[in-house]
Amino acid sequence: VSPKATTAAEKAEILVEALPYIRRFWGQTVVVKYGGNALAAGATGTHPLASFATDVVLMRSVGMRPIVVHGGGPQIGELMARLGKVAEFVDGLRVTDAETLDIARMVLVGKVNRDIVSAINVHGPLAVGVSGEDAGLISAEARDPHLGFVGDVAGVNPDILHSLMAENLIPVVATIGSDGTGQAYNINADTAAGALAAAVDATKLVYLTDVDGIRTDRHDPATRLSTVTTAQLAAMVDSGAVDGGMIPKVRSCIEAVKGGVGSAHVLDGSAPHALLLEIFTHEGVGTMVAQP
Amino acid sequence: VSPKATTAAEKAEILVEALPYIRRFWGQTVVVKYGGNALAAGATGTHPLASFATDVVLMRSVGMRPIVVHGGGPQIGELMARLGKVAEFVDGLRVTDAETLDIARMVLVGKVNRDIVSAINVHGPLAVGVSGEDAGLISAEARDPHLGFVGDVAGVNPDILHSLMAENLIPVVATIGSDGTGQAYNINADTAAGALAAAVDATKLVYLTDVDGIRTDRHDPATRLSTVTTAQLAAMVDSGAVDGGMIPKVRSCIEAVKGGVGSAHVLDGSAPHALLLEIFTHEGVGTMVAQP
Amino acid sequence: VSPKATTAAEKAEILVEALPYIRRFWGQTVVVKYGGNALAAGATGTHPLASFATDVVLMRSVGMRPIVVHGGGPQIGELMARLGKVAEFVDGLRVTDAETLDIARMVLVGKVNRDIVSAINVHGPLAVGVSGEDAGLISAEARDPHLGFVGDVAGVNPDILHSLMAENLIPVVATIGSDGTGQAYNINADTAAGALAAAVDATKLVYLTDVDGIRTDRHDPATRLSTVTTAQLAAMVDSGAVDGGMIPKVRSCIEAVKGGVGSAHVLDGSAPHALLLEIFTHEGVGTMVAQP
Amino acid sequence: VSPKATTAAEKAEILVEALPYIRRFWGQTVVVKYGGNALAAGATGTHPLASFATDVVLMRSVGMRPIVVHGGGPQIGELMARLGKVAEFVDGLRVTDAETLDIARMVLVGKVNRDIVSAINVHGPLAVGVSGEDAGLISAEARDPHLGFVGDVAGVNPDILHSLMAENLIPVVATIGSDGTGQAYNINADTAAGALAAAVDATKLVYLTDVDGIRTDRHDPATRLSTVTTAQLAAMVDSGAVDGGMIPKVRSCIEAVKGGVGSAHVLDGSAPHALLLEIFTHEGVGTMVAQP
Amino acid sequence: VSPKATTAAEKAEILVEALPYIRRFWGQTVVVKYGGNALAAGATGTHPLASFATDVVLMRSVGMRPIVVHGGGPQIGELMARLGKVAEFVDGLRVTDAETLDIARMVLVGKVNRDIVSAINVHGPLAVGVSGEDAGLISAEARDPHLGFVGDVAGVNPDILHSLMAENLIPVVATIGSDGTGQAYNINADTAAGALAAAVDATKLVYLTDVDGIRTDRHDPATRLSTVTTAQLAAMVDSGAVDGGMIPKVRSCIEAVKGGVGSAHVLDGSAPHALLLEIFTHEGVGTMVAQP
Amino acid sequence: VSPKATTAAEKAEILVEALPYIRRFWGQTVVVKYGGNALAAGATGTHPLASFATDVVLMRSVGMRPIVVHGGGPQIGELMARLGKVAEFVDGLRVTDAETLDIARMVLVGKVNRDIVSAINVHGPLAVGVSGEDAGLISAEARDPHLGFVGDVAGVNPDILHSLMAENLIPVVATIGSDGTGQAYNINADTAAGALAAAVDATKLVYLTDVDGIRTDRHDPATRLSTVTTAQLAAMVDSGAVDGGMIPKVRSCIEAVKGGVGSAHVLDGSAPHALLLEIFTHEGVGTMVAQP
């Protein structure tokens, strides 16, 4: 058998595998959380942000409705340092005072969000940056008065997302929320992504992180789980098998799936086209969390 | 590099290659001519009709609008033989008298058409058999009074096809036409496929045949053309480079493309998933005829 | 009073009688079962098929939505005879083996159905032939494994009929059904007509037969009932007053009316314009079966 | 042949004759001018207004859109007499002063219009009385300052008629017009009917009068013309063959047909169901004016 | 502070006050009862009918949907006097015989209604006169056989009002009702206005009268109530605090508000632009009746 | 006359004045340029931003479609100073290098835009922040390579604005543009406001500045022009009568009006409710630029 014949048969096999997924996900909404670390890590040869933007545009091109949610911790820290702003602490917890909030908002809405929108819009006028403050998207409430303007999600009004998706646009969401008086709050992006996914009845919630999924032994890549149920995952949290840094993501996965999202996924955002492979192939490349 | 990693990268590459085609052809109409020979040839291990039906269903599943057109020469001959009907000739040409027409119509509409519809409907209630007589689809006129009820296409009213496609159904067309008095005629299926493709503003017209495309030297597979312009192809007909049996297909390709069809394709219908590979990959597996 | 004045008054009277029926039936669906006998009987001066086609077209012209359902027993028998196919019997019952089914399907879909479509389409591109296999219209199941491919109606998906009627087309249905594997079955046309009428919420189900209605004494035309309730009719079946050959039609009438069809009718299909007179006049010309 | 059989055949014949007209006129607008004389003549056994109302309701029931336009000269004269109002004359022409206009408006809008609406609404809530002043339906201008508030049609805004017909309502129009200052004018109903018919693109304009049509010799009923072209009719007016009292109707017929109305008709409104017979039979009962 | 600066600030204040009302009432329906007395009183310098018409047109211009309902007692009495018609009495109550009804109908539909329509239509083709007989708007029943054709409201079919309002037209309603036989009845306009307001789910029902609202002491203008609940008002009726002539209006106010109308208002129709001030300012100029 | 009576009459007068403007501007788009100076000036008792937000919300509440465009020069300067960033100059012109652009974008999109959105959203979830980069809103090109990322408007795609307005949302636009490669540019906000107004076919373009309009003698408030034509204004620019700082606004006014915008306005943004008074009163409070 010649290499070329092989290729034709292989291509046919992959198409026959992928086409039913494409059919199934047509018109479905997928919330993708893209981390600030991934952005910051863009030093290697292939630019991860550009690769990510390509995947998002391809998903949309076959009828899916991606919503990108992002954080930006490293970038906020950087500007604070440049401005000589020293973090305050109360009872050992970092406080977000008015100035810190202003800095965080400038960085998230005016810098990180813009960079993602730009990367997508190289492919055409497709992305629109949105802050949680816009059109009442994310209603926030203070987590703890001593912590200042750190907020929890009190409610989500997804109308603006639906309007944009109805125009075939890709919303890119910075997770600043606001309360009834117009006061803004900084919201954890992992948590906000889960709340948004539930509010838009997303089919999938995908976390692009710096690990390749959830492992039973966090030090052994061979123990990555391809799929896991919410119950199993909750047990892993209880038993301490889940890494501390993964806990907010893992909790959001569990809550989102319980709240009606079809499945949640944890992938390595730096693997090329991880998003496409996870969505359009049987095997996937990360961990899928689903109802039992 | 492990085989698995290779596969992931390869899969990603094929997806990145195929997704833009899927996007481009969403909502586009493709007329596929499926030959009676292909049907009759179903003796090998993999059933070509079942494979063909799978491809048609997958095309539809990603938003394309396939229309299947078929002939049935061998099957008509078989029933005529069983009924002891001997072909008449006038001036050396075969005559279609009323009884022959009745037999052809029973075989095409009541047998071949039904077999294709059944093969597709294994995947769900997707296909609908249509005769060119239905709702005025194919208006026919006699080619030559001495030949009886052999017809040429005098006009096409594609409303019924549009209605069925608007319901996401797959029309399967038997090429019997009728004139204003209700008289039926047998129409050459290759020619009818071209006329239908032009009438529905098809993006593609695909002939599934028993050769793998158009060759500059018909005896040398290595001379298959991947693409050819209508002008080049017309020159090949004039120079005799095109096989006699290919001439009606080739002429229909040229006319269809000149009539506004985006491109015409000649493929080997017995190659597994030839249809998918031709449509969703850069290289294709047959010959594409396009405007210069 | 001059003859002409009389005629004007009479015409006015008939119009005043008919117009309210026309109003009432506008947009309503009527399933008309046209028998194979009626087709075969076309030897007399006026062609019954042409007269039937005119009536169907006129019904449609005043806003009704006719669906024609047909059988073809005599025509199937004729082709079997020509092919030298001898009927098999199991326990005294005729068996439909694969070859018989193929013959039945060719005759019903490829011949009888075509002839009716052609007769209607003399008036314009109005009729579309449909087999119960198309788009899952009639799901069938085997009646008895020993009888081969004789099927009962297991379900009806009327979407294709609604789509065609929405385009002001007249569906002409051959009663071949299929199961989930794509296997076809021959279905009794009287029974199928009743099931289709119930599935499309028809206002009327009309059997065009070779008798002028239901009689209390089958040998005395004077005992024809103009209207009869389902209860009375069931009693007549029990008492043996109904002719054996009429029993499938009568049972279908009762079931259809119980299943929500407004009324069922038995008419003599050979009487000129029997269909129009039954529908648009007070008195009618056959027997109407209705709820008590 | 028994009388009953004859009747069935005759009925069938009339239905076959009428149904194509019903099809043709579905959704078409017909303006019917009903004269004040006809109303006043309601002393005979069958009440002409009730018969007229039945015809209008039947026309609507088969999808036509009737608009009734009426005058009321005799009824205006009667109230003027009761109020002791003596007609003024200027240069031998009757003058409509403010008081006369008030009387005319009360009688036309508050009496004659109401009586017609009531007669129709016995059949259901179908008719709505409209004055030409409503929603700018008829813009009027003074014919001659010496004649006071006698108006000519300066323009028609048919929106209110289209709105009512879109709700399947039957407008009944009293022909009072108004100018930009809100001043009302009395308009000749024959002329107004023609202008309204042209403005709504009516298919037919029908005058129900006290003669049975247009005759070449006005004293000889046998000379009634079944159809006449606008050119022939204009010649008849020039030659004096048309009766003086008929001239406004005849001129309106000619103008309406030239202005795009399909045909105009003059009928005897006292003949039972004259309207139905003229519209739904080949022969008609009056005179039809059409383009050559 | 200069006078002009004052005016700008004042204007801004009034706009800031009025705009939220305009927003709130956009698309809302308001039934305005305009009394025959107001019409008759048009002898002073500023014409109250013209001022009223301006207010109605302005309400409509900012998106409200006004419906005008009117009476006409004085005008009916005047025509009866001119015709020498003497009122009949039975048991001390005035009887409406057929002739009186005819006169009332001519005056209400053919005179008062027309005058209001004309006054509005000076601003454009906006108003349409409607009688309660049209399209079954007001179904009536006899109040008492001895009183002849005096009717009570038996039902309201508001479809015609909704149709006209959907075209941005202003219905002007004369309160003649009819029963199933087409017999007309004269209906009290205050009562009819309340029934119509409930039937169209009006936001407001406004009575324009000759007093400036409801007073606790009817002789002391200073005791006018700005708002009053239905319960308080019912108590005032019981205690005799409400004037006899006001009782039908007051009862209709109570019933309308209980029937779902947002609020009812009693204003002095002769005060310039009373309607606008009541609707678009905090304070209003009459009495508002609302749910507790 | 009592003070209160006066007030009622005055209120009525102002309502009668304002309502026709409200009618006229229903559904119309108004682009309002809000300057960075106005924002920075928020030190006085009444907060100008809050007053501005109220006006914008009130405009929307009566059906207008406001679009807010803003600059932020002072705020950008402030952050640059804090970051110790010193402006570069080339040939005496300030250069926007990559870092300056980043700062400008953070301030405009992440700070000024957010503050305006928040002030509006105190009234409800109405405003949505938009950058010119979103969905291809503002295509930019470099003004001069030596100046770095200072851009001119190369094109406007207003789809995103129409989508948001169709949902009754208020777009708040930061004037960052981007080119085909995703490179961002800082655009002059006055110029961008004019280009956006022309692109959305705005009825009005309003500049809220720190002067009360255009004066023939810039030092004499009494010489403010209430209206001026584009030709007169162009002459004033040529003659030097227009202040240097006003020239970009004045040029944009002229271009916008020539480009189809109904009128352009220059107002003092610090005067309370200047926006409402200019739009809803005859006299206005600034200068209106219109076609001759």
Side-chain angles (χ1 to χ4, degrees), chain A:
Chain A
V1 177
S2 75
K4 191 172 160 206
T6 308
T7 302
E10 277 178 12
K11 281 185 176 181
E13 192 185 335
I14 292 166
L15 287 171
V16 171
E17 177 182 341
L19 292 176
Y21 289 105
I22 291 170
R23 172 199 201 170
R24 187 191 309 164
F25 296 134
W26 185 269
Q28 302 296 305
T29 302
V30 173
V31 172
V32 184
K33 162 68 186 7
Y34 189 66
N37 289 330
L39 269 166
T44 54
T46 58
H47 193 355
L49 178 55
S51 164
F52 167 71
T54 300
D55 284 13
V56 168
V57 169
L58 284 170
M59 284 168 64
R60 173 188 168 282
S61 78
V62 291
M64 303 185 73
R65 301 177 149 196
I67 295 171
V68 177
V69 179
H70 65 86
Q75 293 83 352
I76 294 168
E78 192 186 327
L79 184 59
M80 286 183 71
R82 285 188 60 195
L83 288 167
K85 172 79 186 170
V86 180
E88 250 186 289
F89 287 83
V90 166
D91 297 335
L93 291 168
R94 176 195 286 258
V95 174
T96 297
D97 59 11
E99 196 187 356
T100 304
L101 177 70
D102 243 38
I103 293 169
R105 197 162 66 156
M106 280 198 295
V107 169
L108 289 176
V109 179
K111 168 92 185 103
V112 178
N113 189 273
R114 289 297 105 204
D115 287 345
I116 298 174
V117 166
S118 291
I120 294 174
N121 284 355
V122 168
H123 298 269
L126 304 175
V128 173
V130 178
S131 164
E133 303 153 287
D134 288 325
L137 175 56
I138 301 177
S139 302
E141 60 196 4
R143 176 172 297 174
D144 175 342
H146 299 117
L147 296 179
F149 303 115
V150 172
D152 283 326
V153 176
V156 173
N157 177 346
D159 289 353
I160 181 71
L161 301 180
H162 289 303
S163 298
L164 294 173
M165 290 190 294
E167 305 285 336
N168 287 318
L169 294 167
I170 301 171
V172 178
V173 182
T175 58
I176 302 290
S178 64
D179 65 16
T181 70
Q183 174 62 51
Y185 290 86
N186 191 4
I187 314 263
N188 177 278
D190 287 332
T191 314
L196 290 170
V200 297
D201 284 326
T203 293
K204 288 183 182 297
L205 165 64
V206 182
Y207 287 100
L208 290 178
T209 69
D210 48 8
V211 296
D212 68 352
I214 297 166
R215 303 173 182 170
T216 50
D217 173 351
R218 78 186 66 157
H219 305 297
D220 180 0
T223 65
R224 172 171 69 85
L225 297 166
S226 183
T227 63
V228 64
T229 67
T230 51
Q232 291 165 333
L233 197 52
M236 286 172 67
V237 172
D238 291 346
S239 73
V242 172
D243 190 332
M246 284 291 286
I247 287 184
K249 286 180 182 60
V250 158
R251 283 203 202 286
S252 290
C253 287
I254 294 173
E255 273 181 39
V257 171
K258 287 191 172 165
V261 174
S263 59
H265 301 253
V266 178
L267 312 182
D268 179 358
S270 68
H273 304 299
L275 201 46
L276 295 186
L277 289 166
E278 180 73 10
I279 291 177
F280 294 130
T281 66
H282 294 329
E283 206 169 316
V285 295
T287 298
M288 178 170 87
V289 183
Q291 284 287 28

Side-chain angles (χ1 to χ4, degrees), chain D residues 93-114:
Chain D
L93 290 168
R94 177 195 286 259
V95 174
T96 297
D97 60 10
E99 195 187 355
T100 304
L101 176 72
D102 243 38
I103 292 169
R105 197 163 66 156
M106 281 197 295
V107 168
L108 289 175
V109 179
K111 169 94 185 100
V112 177
N113 190 275
R114 289 297 108 202

Side-chain angles (χ1 to χ4, degrees), chain B residues 82-83 99 102 105-106 109 111 114-115 118 121-122 125 127-129 131 133-136 160 163-164 167 181, chain C residues 82-83 99 102 105-106 109 111 114-115 121-122 125 127-129 131 133-136 160 163-164 167 181-182:
Chain B
R82 286 188 58 195
L83 287 168
E99 195 187 355
D102 243 36
R105 198 163 64 157
M106 280 198 294
V109 179
K111 170 93 184 99
R114 289 298 105 204
D115 288 344
S118 291
N121 284 355
V122 168
V128 173
S131 164
E133 302 154 288
D134 289 324
I160 181 69
S163 298
L164 294 173
E167 305 285 336
T181 70
Chain C
R82 286 188 59 195
L83 287 167
E99 195 187 356
D102 243 36
R105 199 163 64 156
M106 280 198 294
V109 179
K111 167 93 185 104
R114 290 297 105 204
D115 287 344
N121 284 354
V122 168
V128 173
S131 164
E133 302 152 287
D134 288 324
I160 181 71
S163 297
L164 294 172
E167 305 286 336
T181 71

Side-chain angles (χ1 to χ4, degrees), chain F residues 2-99:
Chain F
S2 76
K4 189 168 161 211
T6 306
T7 302
E10 276 178 13
K11 281 185 175 180
E13 193 184 335
I14 292 166
L15 287 171
V16 170
E17 177 183 340
L19 293 176
Y21 288 106
I22 291 170
R23 171 199 200 169
R24 188 189 309 164
F25 296 133
W26 185 270
Q28 302 296 306
T29 302
V30 173
V31 171
V32 184
K33 161 69 185 8
Y34 190 66
N37 289 330
L39 269 166
T44 55
T46 57
H47 193 357
L49 178 56
S51 164
F52 167 71
T54 300
D55 284 12
V56 168
V57 170
L58 285 171
M59 283 167 65
R60 175 189 167 281
S61 78
V62 293
M64 301 184 75
R65 305 178 145 193
I67 295 170
V68 178
V69 178
H70 65 85
Q75 293 83 353
I76 294 168
E78 194 187 326
L79 183 58
M80 288 184 70
R82 286 188 58 195
L83 288 166
K85 173 77 185 171
V86 180
E88 247 186 289
F89 288 83
V90 166
D91 296 336
L93 290 169
R94 176 194 286 258
V95 173
T96 297
D97 59 11
E99 195 187 356

Side-chain angles (χ1 to χ4, degrees), chain C residues 160-174:
Chain C
I160 181 71
L161 301 180
H162 289 304
S163 297
L164 294 172
M165 291 190 292
E167 305 286 336
N168 287 318
L169 295 166
I170 301 171
V172 178
V173 182

